[in-house]
Amino acid sequence: PSSLAPDCSLDGRYGFMETHAYYEQCARRQRNYGLFTADQLPLSKNNKNRAKNTRQNPNGNRYGLECPEERDYYPYWAQAPWKDIAVLTTDVSRCDYYKKESQNVKGRSYCEDDDPTNGVVGATEEGCDGTWHSEAQGKWDLPAPDCLQAPWNRDNHLGNGLDGYPNHYNWSIPDTP
């Protein structure tokens, strides 16, 4: 659907991973100005300064309830609902960084502002008009993700490897309550 009601995630016809509240936080949150945007994100008065606007989604188009900035940049700098299992990268020299910055082991600071009349929700403590939560509150207390050399991948073919079949990662699901 092009327009989702706040309770649409309760509708069993749609498979949503993120909640409507998570998307609304993303749509209102100020984008991270330190992220690479190439020439795709002109700053303007047309809400281009939100986390829903990225170099791959400069118009802020909505696809389900995902947050485009969180989808396009890892590790994400703000709180996200995801628990990291593995990072497959072409540059294993960055593995220590990925493991250290995972939300499994490092919390995320965020601004809680439930008043939609405030407009853009600040990405920093100084820009927060609501309650600022320090990064000590946002980690999952899980082991850091595995980090491995990514296998060769055919461009734009959903991860097909050298044998023509999708690349994969074997994960043993932990026995946790």
Side-chain angles (χ1 to χ4, degrees):
S2 60
S3 176
L4 298 174
D7 63 352
C8 188
S9 58
L10 302 176
D11 188 331
R13 295 176 297 169
Y14 306 106
F16 295 111
M17 300 301 163
E18 298 90 345
T19 64
H20 191 271
Y22 179 70
Y23 176 78
E24 287 299 320
Q25 290 170 353
C26 171
R28 293 183 56 218
R29 184 173 44 248
Q30 180 182 31
R31 74 176 188 85
N32 183 337
Y33 290 102
L35 300 175
F36 177 72
T37 59
D39 61 354
Q40 297 299 308
L41 199 59
L43 298 179
S44 73
K45 60 181 183 266
N46 298 325
N47 289 335
K48 300 285 188 194
N49 299 323
R50 310 286 174 96
K52 67 179 185 169
N53 305 97
T54 67
R55 74 180 191 280
Q56 295 180 30
N57 189 36
N59 292 328
N61 294 336
R62 184 165 154 179
Y63 301 97
L65 297 174
E66 72 180 354
C67 181
E69 191 178 69
E70 178 253 326
R71 176 201 63 213
D72 292 352
Y73 300 98
Y74 182 86
Y76 192 45
W77 62 275
Q79 267 199 328
W82 305 107
K83 295 169 177 73
D84 300 326
I85 297 167
V87 176
L88 303 179
T89 179
T90 57
D91 185 359
V92 293
S93 70
R94 295 184 55 86
C95 281
D96 286 341
Y97 169 76
Y98 292 139
K99 289 181 174 193
K100 184 181 70 158
E101 293 297 320
S102 166
Q103 193 175 331
N104 289 4
V105 298
K106 180 181 179 182
R108 302 289 189 258
S109 301
Y110 66 97
C111 179
E112 183 177 4
D113 185 355
D114 295 328
D115 182 358
T117 62
N118 285 343
V120 178
V121 175
T124 63
E125 186 170 7
E126 297 77 31
C128 179
D129 289 330
T131 304
W132 183 254
H133 297 274
S134 70
E135 76 178 35
Q137 299 177 354
K139 67 180 179 174
W140 297 118
D141 288 324
L142 295 170
D146 286 346
C147 188
L148 305 167
Q149 174 73 42
W152 180 86
N153 191 37
R154 186 174 170 194
D155 291 341
N156 299 317
H157 285 271
L158 299 176
N160 287 347
L162 287 172
D163 58 3
Y165 292 99
N167 289 322
H168 62 277
Y169 171 79
N170 287 325
W171 177 53
S172 295
I173 299 174
D175 184 20
T176 57

